[in-house]
């Protein structure tokens, strides 16, 4: 064992081990483990001997003594007007900083290393653009709008993000989860009605006009969603509310996206099977969709099913090759665009639309649409959905951005990301785009193919622009079943998140509960209500954790100032008469009662029970004295009434004795013969604890209820002879207690100590002084 020395003087302590956290763990393991050989023991001891040491000699500090030796910095408080004037003050440096923050491209583009980055960005931009095309067309179907609007949403927002975004690697554009949420809102506001062409063959023109009008209205809903969600993101960004994403914890997001993947997969079954079904939204929409698909399963279009399954098989083979030969391939094989080209060629060559009734993409207008103002009258009906889409979209983008920033060693600004997404959505809505966010699959491709900056994103947007203005019409014969196959295969990564169940089962049951609630609620209540339910449940788990913390009694590692759980390690010992209590939570209204209950249970001292027992013992003793006095009084009266001389002598003797009543009461000779200690033990139950130390190291805040509870604890334990001290209370908590009028004449700052060891030594000194005073008496 290392040579540990510990010296204690009345008001000083000197300590000479230097322990890091790792060394403490090593020391405890060394103490608790069973040593098989003497050589292993010597190795452990040699390791501990090599640790650095420290020696500190200082007074025992309580809060009052420590603050008396420190000098606070003088700070002049600013008025509200001064703060506003300072924030509105402008200088060239401040203006330049704000401009660079609002337009990050001005900061990195002038320093762009062309020779090092340009080739990688070009290859990455082409690869990502090739993925943007089919995904933009496919995810437009999820959003319940014509496919061309998916191309618009793959161009304008991507190009805008190049100027305003802070992430260098994420790919902005259409995304399955957000598109599914958009589609649910569009279908709810513009319900889908199926009109049988066979029974109304004479009204085909009316049917086509109806579908055209329906699609136009759904586009208006999607565009209004983009405008409103963009404004919400802009407001949150300017108000510095980038932290809202932290409320979407990882288990919640993964459970939510898994449920969304199931929704997306089920919604694509009708395109894969080539059947006509209604589209549902809201609670139980998944059940209704499945029921509708199975009711029409007999009308499956075999040609559409064969084409879709063939595309799925080709995509799975291509992705497997890309994964297995990732290091050998210079760029991933663009199987999605290959499948789109093959599917378009086969459809055009075999005339699948007319010959086999296979649904195709249809008309793709050439060129860009003129800007138009979104339909603002739809805003009241879609406000809640826009908030959900804004938060989910930002959460997806910032999560992927943080992953790449950590991997490549740069930082992102969450508030600027909100502003960037808000601009992409709100400005894009004037050009007929629907809400967008970061795509996980495209972002991985953009990063893995050598992309270094958002130049790659701009190049992918230019590729989409070329398709829109030049060759978009070539994709009109593309079967919708091909797009459904692309969507289904791209869900593979999110569907693999079912493995999270086993992982969270092993690591954290509470996080597993969050995942399951997010998944089940989103699956059956819909993505909007499911997200709200999941966030609410996650908040409840936080409250549950603070209301159900771990309570521990601490003891000292011999000859150190380190204190650990006495139930965890064998070598940790408690000081006689001192209990050190720790709760790994803050003290506030929700857990103040449980804190008090746990304190009584862990320390074994219940002040209320002790006081009640004392009062009961005092009453019992008073009754015994009263009964004894009554008995003696009767005996005296009996002797007085006797006529014999012997009795008179006895009476005189009794009267002359010490049993005469004093102030109207007869004394109890048996009580008088007791020593003070025996009398106190007989009358008042006592505890063997003289000091209680509350470790406030984990406490982050205390509210008014917590302060009252703490004050009540101190007073009640003082009544039963237990001195309560508070150790390791941080300055913010101390200031909060001061504002809550916690300190007064009975509860002073002398009860606050800088560390647990300071409090322990002070309690020992006080107990020693009290014992010395008792011995002198």
């Amino acid at each position: 064992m290392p040579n540990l020395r510990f010296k204690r003087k009345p008001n000083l302590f000197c300590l000479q081990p230097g322990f890091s956290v790792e060394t403490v763990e090593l020391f405890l393991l060394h103490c608790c483990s069973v040593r098989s050989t003497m050589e292993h023991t010597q190795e452990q001891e040699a390791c501990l001997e090599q640790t650095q040491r420290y020696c500190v000699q200082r007074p025992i500090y309580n809060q009052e003594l420590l603050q008396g030796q420190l000098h606070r910095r003088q700070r002049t408080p600013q008025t509200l007007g001064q703060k506003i004037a300072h924030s509105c003050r402008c200088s060239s440096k401040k203006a330049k900083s704000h401009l660079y923050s609002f337009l990050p491209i001005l900061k990195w583009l002038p320093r762009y290393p062309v020779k090092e980055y340009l080739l990688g960005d070009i290859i990455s931009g082409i690869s990502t653009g090739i993925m943007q095309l089919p995904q933009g067309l496919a995810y437009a179907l999820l959003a319940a709008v014509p496919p061309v609007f998916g191309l618009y949403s793959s161009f304008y927002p991507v190009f805008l993000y190049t100027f305003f975004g802070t992430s260098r690697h994420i790919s902005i554009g259409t995304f399955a989860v957000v598109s599914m949420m958009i589609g649910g809102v569009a279908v709810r506001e513009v319900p889908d009605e199926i009109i049988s062409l066979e029974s109304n063959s004479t009204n085909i023109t009316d049917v086509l006009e109806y579908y055209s009008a329906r699609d136009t209205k759904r586009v208006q809903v999607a565009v209004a969603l983009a405008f409103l969600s963009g404004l919400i993101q802009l407001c949150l960004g300017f108000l510095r509310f980038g932290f809202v994403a932290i409320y979407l914890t990882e288990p919640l997001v993964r459970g939510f996206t898994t449920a969304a993947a199931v929704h997306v997969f089920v919604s694509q079954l009708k395109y894969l099977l080539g059947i006509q079904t209604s589209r549902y939204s809201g609670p139980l929409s998944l059940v209704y969709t499945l029921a509708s698909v199975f009711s029409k399963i007999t009308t499956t279009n075999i040609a559409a099913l064969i084409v879709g399954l063939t595309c799925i098989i080709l995509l799975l083979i291509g992705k497997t090759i890309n994964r297995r030969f990732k290091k050998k391939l210079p760029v991933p094989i663009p199987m999605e665009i290959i499948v789109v080209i093959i599917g378009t060629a086969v459809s055009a060559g075999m005339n699948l639309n007319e010959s086999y009734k296979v649904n195709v993409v249809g008309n793709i207008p050439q060129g860009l649409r003129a800007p138009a103002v979104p339909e603002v009258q739809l805003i009241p009906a879609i406000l809640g959905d826009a908030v959900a889409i804004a938060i989910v979209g930002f959460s997806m983008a910032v999560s992927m951005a943080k992953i790449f920033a950590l991997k490549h060693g740069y930082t992102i600004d969450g508030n600027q990301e909100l502003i960037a997404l808000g601009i992409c959505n709100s400005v894009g809505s004037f050009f007929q785009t629907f809400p967008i966010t970061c795509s996980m699959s495209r972002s991985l491709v953009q990063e893995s193919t050598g992309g270094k900056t958002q130049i790659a994103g701009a190049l992918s947007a230019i590729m989409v622009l070329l398709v829109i203005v030049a060759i978009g019409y070539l994709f009109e014969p593309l079967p919708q079943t091909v797009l459904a196959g692309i969507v289904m295969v791209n869900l593979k990564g999110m569907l693999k998140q079912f493995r999270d169940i086993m992982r969270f089962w092993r690591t954290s049951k509470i996080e597993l509960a969050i995942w399951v609630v997010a998944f089940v609620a989103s699956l059956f209540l819909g993505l909007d209500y499911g997200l709200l339910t999941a966030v609410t449940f996650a908040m409840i788990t936080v409250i549950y954790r603070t209301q159900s913390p771990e309570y521990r009694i601490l003891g000292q590692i011999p000859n150190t100032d380190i204190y650990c759980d006495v139930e965890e390690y064998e070598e940790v010992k408690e000081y006689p008469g001192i209990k050190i209590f720790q709760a790994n939570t803050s003290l506030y209204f929700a857990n103040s009662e449980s804190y008090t209950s746990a304190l009584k249970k862990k320390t074994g001292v219940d002040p209320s029970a002790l006081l009640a027992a004392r009062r009961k013992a005092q009453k019992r003793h008073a009754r015994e004295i009263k009964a004894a006095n009554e008995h003696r009084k009767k005996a005296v009266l009996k002797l007085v009434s006797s006529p014999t001389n012997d009795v008179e002598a006895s009476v005189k003797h009794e009267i002359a004795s010490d049993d005469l009543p004093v102030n109207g009461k007869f004394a109890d000779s048996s009580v008088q013969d007791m020593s003070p200690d025996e009398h106190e033990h007989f009358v008042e139950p006592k505890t063997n604890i003289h000091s209680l130390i509350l470790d406030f190291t984990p406490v982050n805040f205390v509210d008014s209820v917590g302060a009252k509870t703490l004050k009540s604890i101190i007073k009640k334990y003082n009544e039963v002879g237990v001195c309560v001290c508070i150790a390791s209370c941080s300055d913010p908590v101390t200031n909060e207690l001061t504002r809550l009028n916690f300190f007064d004449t009975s509860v002073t700052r002398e009860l606050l100590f800088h560390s647990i060891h300071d409090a322990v030594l002070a309690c020992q000194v006080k107990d020693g002084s009290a014992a010395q005073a008792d011995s002198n008496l």
Side-chain angles (χ1 to χ4, degrees):
M1 293 296 296
N3 183 20
L4 304 177
R5 291 185 291 159
F6 176 74
K7 304 174 183 178
R8 185 171 69 83
K9 299 179 181 180
N11 289 309
L12 297 172
F13 71 80
C14 179
L15 205 58
Q16 283 193 333
F19 283 152
S20 64
V21 176
E22 293 80 4
T23 308
V24 171
E25 291 292 336
L26 181 60
F27 174 69
L28 294 173
L29 291 173
H30 173 77
C31 294
C32 297
S33 62
V34 179
R35 301 166 180 83
S36 58
T37 62
M38 185 61 70
E39 294 180 358
H40 178 70
T41 304
Q42 293 174 351
E43 290 177 2
Q44 295 278 358
E45 293 178 354
C47 181
L48 287 173
E49 286 288 355
Q50 294 175 1
T51 59
Q52 297 179 349
R53 300 176 180 275
Y54 71 86
C55 180
V56 177
Q57 187 169 357
R58 61 170 176 80
I60 299 174
Y61 281 125
N62 60 23
Q63 185 72 15
E64 191 170 5
L65 179 60
L66 185 62
Q67 292 297 326
Q69 297 185 4
L70 297 176
H71 301 281
R72 291 189 177 273
R73 297 182 184 275
Q74 296 296 329
R75 296 179 180 177
T76 304
Q78 289 184 333
T79 63
L80 179 61
Q82 290 175 332
K83 292 180 180 179
I84 295 174
H86 178 73
S87 62
C88 296
R89 191 176 301 153
C90 186
S91 63
S92 59
K93 184 178 180 180
K94 191 173 182 180
K96 186 177 180 181
S97 175
H98 282 301
L99 181 62
Y100 282 171
S101 176
F102 185 69
L103 284 170
I105 192 173
L106 297 178
K107 190 172 183 179
W108 60 263
L109 187 60
R111 305 174 184 175
Y112 183 79
V114 177
K115 294 182 179 180
E116 298 178 17
Y117 285 3
L118 185 59
L119 180 60
D121 281 340
I122 291 175
I123 295 174
S124 176
I126 294 173
S127 302
T128 308
I130 290 173
M131 286 188 68
Q132 283 270 26
L133 294 173
Q135 288 189 4
L137 295 170
Y139 293 155
L141 296 179
L142 286 177
V145 297
V148 68
F149 292 94
L151 296 181
Y152 298 153
S153 301
S154 299
F155 167 64
Y156 291 107
V158 179
F159 194 73
L160 289 170
Y161 186 83
T162 304
F163 295 90
F164 298 98
T166 59
S167 176
R168 305 174 189 173
H169 296 90
I170 64 172
S171 176
I172 293 296
T174 56
F175 182 54
V177 174
V178 174
S179 297
M180 188 69 192
M181 296 177 74
I182 300 165
V185 180
V187 172
R188 185 192 69 208
E189 297 299 319
V190 186
D192 191 8
E193 298 177 6
I194 301 301
I195 300 176
S196 175
L197 296 182
E198 289 79 4
S199 60
N200 299 292
S201 57
T202 58
N203 295 324
I204 292 179
T205 302
D206 295 338
V207 171
L208 293 177
E209 289 179 357
Y210 164 76
Y211 281 132
S212 176
R214 182 203 64 183
D215 290 343
T216 301
K217 292 181 179 179
R218 287 183 175 176
V219 168
Q220 292 175 352
V221 173
V223 169
L225 270 174
F227 176 72
L228 186 55
S229 62
L231 287 183
I232 293 170
Q233 289 171 334
L234 273 174
C235 292
L236 292 176
F238 285 126
L239 294 175
R240 321 306 288 175
F241 269 66
F243 65 88
V244 295
I246 64 176
Y247 293 104
L248 299 180
T249 179
E250 181 190 5
L252 187 152
V253 172
R254 294 179 73 87
F256 173 77
T257 53
T258 305
V262 175
H263 274 283
V264 172
F265 187 89
V266 171
S267 70
Q268 295 304 294
L269 288 176
K270 72 174 191 177
Y271 298 110
L272 179 67
L273 300 175
I275 58 180
Q276 299 290 329
T277 63
S278 298
R279 183 162 179 170
Y280 301 93
S281 63
L284 299 180
S285 60
L286 182 76
V287 178
Y288 296 144
T289 301
L290 283 174
S292 180
V293 169
F294 286 124
S295 66
K296 298 290 184 69
I297 196 73
T298 55
T299 63
T300 298
N301 189 315
I302 303 301
L305 180 60
I306 292 174
V307 172
L309 291 177
T310 302
C311 292
I312 290 174
I313 293 172
L314 290 176
L315 288 168
L316 291 175
I317 292 173
K319 289 185 177 294
T320 303
I321 293 173
N322 286 336
R323 186 179 67 254
R324 291 189 177 182
F325 301 98
K326 181 179 179 180
K327 296 182 179 179
K328 297 181 180 180
L329 294 172
V331 293
I333 300 174
M335 285 304 300
E336 290 175 331
I337 194 64
I338 291 174
V339 165
V340 167
I341 293 173
I342 293 174
T344 304
V346 170
S347 176
M350 299 181 64
N351 197 11
L352 295 180
N353 185 24
E354 295 183 2
S355 301
Y356 299 95
K357 305 300 179 183
V358 175
N359 293 326
V360 296
V361 169
N363 181 43
I364 298 180
Q366 197 167 357
L368 299 173
R369 286 180 171 239
V373 178
E375 300 291 334
V376 294
Q377 65 268 19
L378 295 172
I379 288 179
I382 61 175
L383 179 59
D385 304 287
V387 172
I389 290 173
I391 295 177
V392 171
F394 170 64
S395 176
M396 297 290 181
V398 79
S399 298
M400 288 299 295
K402 285 182 178 179
I403 292 173
F404 290 126
L406 184 64
K407 181 178 179 180
H408 294 277
Y410 64 93
T411 59
I412 64 162
D413 184 352
N415 295 307
Q416 181 59 28
E417 285 297 301
L418 266 174
I419 294 172
L421 289 173
I423 291 174
C424 292
N425 281 318
S426 58
V427 175
S429 66
F430 289 89
F431 298 93
Q432 311 296 298
T433 67
F434 53 79
I436 52 84
T437 185
C438 161
S439 168
M440 291 186 286
S441 59
R442 291 197 308 272
S443 298
L444 292 172
V445 169
Q446 182 168 318
E447 187 263 346
S448 62
T449 52
K452 302 294 183 183
T453 65
Q454 282 301 328
I455 294 293
L459 290 175
S460 67
I462 292 173
M463 289 191 63
V464 174
L465 177 63
L466 292 176
V467 173
I468 293 173
V469 300
I471 60 174
Y473 68 93
L474 296 176
F475 295 101
E476 291 180 357
L478 177 64
Q480 291 183 359
T481 185
V482 174
L483 298 179
I486 292 173
V487 171
M488 288 179 170
V489 172
N490 281 319
L491 296 174
K492 181 181 177 183
M494 284 190 284
L495 293 175
K496 284 183 178 180
Q497 293 176 156
F498 279 110
R499 299 174 182 174
D500 293 343
I501 296 176
M502 295 306 300
R503 178 166 66 90
F504 288 129
W505 176 264
R506 291 190 298 266
T507 58
S508 173
K509 301 298 189 297
I510 292 181
E511 290 189 336
L512 174 63
I514 294 174
W515 193 100
V516 171
V517 169
F519 174 77
V520 174
S522 302
L523 199 65
F524 293 105
L525 299 180
L527 297 180
D528 45 2
Y529 293 115
L531 179 63
L532 179 61
T533 304
V535 171
T536 303
F537 182 77
M539 295 292 186
I540 293 174
T541 62
V542 174
I543 298 173
Y544 169 77
R545 291 186 185 190
T546 58
Q547 285 186 305
S548 304
E550 293 184 2
Y551 300 103
R552 305 188 299 174
I553 295 294
L554 305 183
Q556 183 198 35
I557 299 177
N559 299 328
T560 71
D561 63 343
I562 300 170
Y563 292 82
C564 300
D565 189 356
V566 295
E567 297 179 359
E568 188 74 18
Y569 304 104
E570 294 178 0
E571 277 64 29
V572 173
K573 302 298 181 183
E574 292 186 69
Y575 283 105
I578 299 176
K579 289 287 185 180
I580 306 171
F581 179 77
Q582 183 193 74
N584 63 337
T585 183
S586 297
L587 184 59
Y588 68 113
F589 69 93
N591 64 359
S592 57
E593 291 187 7
S594 62
Y595 185 93
T596 305
S597 301
L599 178 63
K600 296 175 183 178
K601 183 178 179 181
K602 285 289 185 179
T603 59
V605 179
D606 187 347
S608 300
L610 280 174
L611 291 173
R614 288 183 180 183
R615 287 191 292 269
K616 187 176 180 180
Q618 290 171 353
K619 289 180 181 179
R620 183 176 65 252
H621 189 58
R623 286 196 301 269
E624 292 174 354
I625 293 175
K626 184 177 180 181
N629 290 338
E630 291 291 338
H631 177 72
R632 291 180 183 277
K633 186 176 181 180
K634 289 179 181 179
V636 170
L637 293 175
K638 184 177 181 180
L639 291 173
V640 169
S641 63
S642 177
T644 62
N645 295 329
D646 294 336
V647 172
E648 290 177 358
S650 300
V651 171
K652 293 178 180 179
H653 175 74
E654 291 291 340
I655 292 174
S657 69
D658 292 334
D659 292 334
L660 285 173
V662 179
N663 295 330
K665 296 183 179 179
F666 289 90
D668 189 354
S669 59
S670 63
V671 174
Q672 291 176 352
D673 294 338
M674 291 182 183
S675 66
D677 291 340
E678 290 175 341
H679 180 270
E680 184 179 359
H681 177 73
F682 177 74
V683 175
E684 299 181 355
K686 293 184 64 179
T687 176
N688 57 353
I689 298 173
H690 60 76
S691 298
L692 174 62
I693 300 172
L694 305 179
D695 180 18
F696 264 41
T697 304
V699 176
N700 294 321
F701 69 93
V702 177
D703 68 353
S704 60
V705 177
K708 291 179 181 178
T709 301
L710 187 59
K711 201 167 187 176
S712 174
I713 288 172
I714 294 173
K715 290 183 177 180
K716 285 184 177 180
Y717 276 86
N718 282 340
E719 290 178 4
V720 295
V722 179
C723 177
V724 180
C725 302
I726 302 174
S728 302
C729 186
S730 63
D731 286 342
V733 175
T734 304
N735 296 335
E736 189 68 27
L737 290 174
T738 304
R739 285 193 293 270
L740 294 171
N741 298 320
F742 175 76
F743 300 105
D744 54 23
T745 55
S746 60
V747 180
T748 65
R749 294 179 182 270
E750 292 181 355
L751 299 179
L752 272 62
F753 289 88
H754 179 66
S755 67
I756 297 177
H757 203 65
D758 284 299
V760 168
L761 295 179
C763 291
Q764 287 181 325
V765 171
K766 182 181 292 187
D767 183 55
S769 301
Q772 182 67 29
D774 291 340
S775 63
N776 293 336
L777 293 175

